[in-house]
Amino acid sequence: MAMLDDAPGCAAPDARKPDRTVPTRRRLWGSSVGGGLSLVLVCAGAMLVMSGTADARSRGKAKSAPPAPVLDAQSINAAQVSAPTGKGRAPAPSVAAAIKGEVLLDRAGFSPGQIDGKNGTNDKKAIAAFQQANGLKPSGTLDPETWERLAATSTDPAIVEYEIQPADVKGPFNKTVPKTLEKKAELKTLNFTNPHELLAEKFHVDPSLLTRLNPKVSFDAAGTKIQVPNVAKKPSQAKVAKVVVDKSARTVRALDGDGKQISFYPASVGSEERPAPSGTLPVRSVAENPTYTYRPKLKFKGVKATKPFTIAPGPNNPVGNTWIDLGDGFGIHGTPEPQNISKTESHGCVRLTNWDAEALGKMVHRGTKVEFIN
């Protein structure tokens, strides 16, 4: 266990506010009037009102969103990216194809961050990096040519069945994890809060997508069989000679001695308040399951402590489960909030998902050069 001191990149970003927008439904009411010679006209009017109401309701139904497509192992594993018809553009990849693409990218060493099927900015970065490494135009679009090349990297299914193991549900788990650093410092551990969170991180997947793949399934019982992204791969034997951190693109690339790309990761890199360093720094050490020490001179926004304090290790520690030390308080590290990678800023350090930081930590060594470019 390592103790991190004065590490400015370690404050967890603010949690994003949930979307509380609730759709409302408008009700249309008709009225009827009767009597005398006006009966026929009134009835006709009532019919028109009722017809208009029916038409409005019909239009409302026509505009309602179609039901979400079924997502399961069969639909995702069979997903393909279609070629354009005629002179038109190729249709956008389906959610199933996006998920399959993310899994293939992850296994090929081009991390899309958290697998969520949303075809977001991290997907586009990973696709562009894969295209560039394979001599294709780095458009960031999962086009048919890129899909064919990506699919050729592996014939293994993208989604597989997994039986929840006793270790997945054993714990110990934290009931909750507070948001502020001072409150985190009061805890003895910063573990996962439940098996669902543990399994989501284990398989690099958005917790909500994991639930969607396994509707009505309890993740708390060993022996339960669930569908998960097949991100298992053999540990890389490659030795990284150089790491390149692109501050403006918010990416990290690991290169071998010949300059060939070994792996790619999306990243959160510094901020205007606390920018990441420039130039080249050597890796000094790699710590697994590190603790984190905050010192008042860092003056993080929202932290009122006037004395140093230490935060216990664990996957929900501000620097996650891995710290790659670069000296002078700078480092490359994990995060308890993988959904925010490359979408939020850091306090000077380079923040990766926990699984990406762990993978990179196993490939670098003392003296590996880390170059920061703009």
Side-chain angles (χ1 to χ4, degrees), residues 117-135:
K118 295 179 180 179
N119 195 29
T121 56
N122 288 340
D123 287 6
K124 291 178 172 60
K125 290 178 182 180
I127 292 168
F130 176 84
Q131 290 168 327
Q132 187 171 27
N134 285 272

Side-chain angles (χ1 to χ4, degrees), residues 15-40:
R16 292 186 289 181
K17 295 181 181 178
D19 183 359
R20 301 184 182 276
T21 302
V22 179
T24 59
R25 177 174 295 175
R26 182 180 178 184
R27 298 187 64 184
L28 299 177
W29 295 88
S31 61
S32 61
V33 180
L37 296 175
S38 62
L39 177 59
V40 175

Side-chain angles (χ1 to χ4, degrees), residues 69 71 75-76 79-82 91-101 117 119 142:
L71 275 182
S75 65
I76 295 171
Q80 298 292 329
V81 171
S82 303
S94 65
V95 175
I99 294 170
K100 184 176 180 179
N119 195 29
L142 192 57

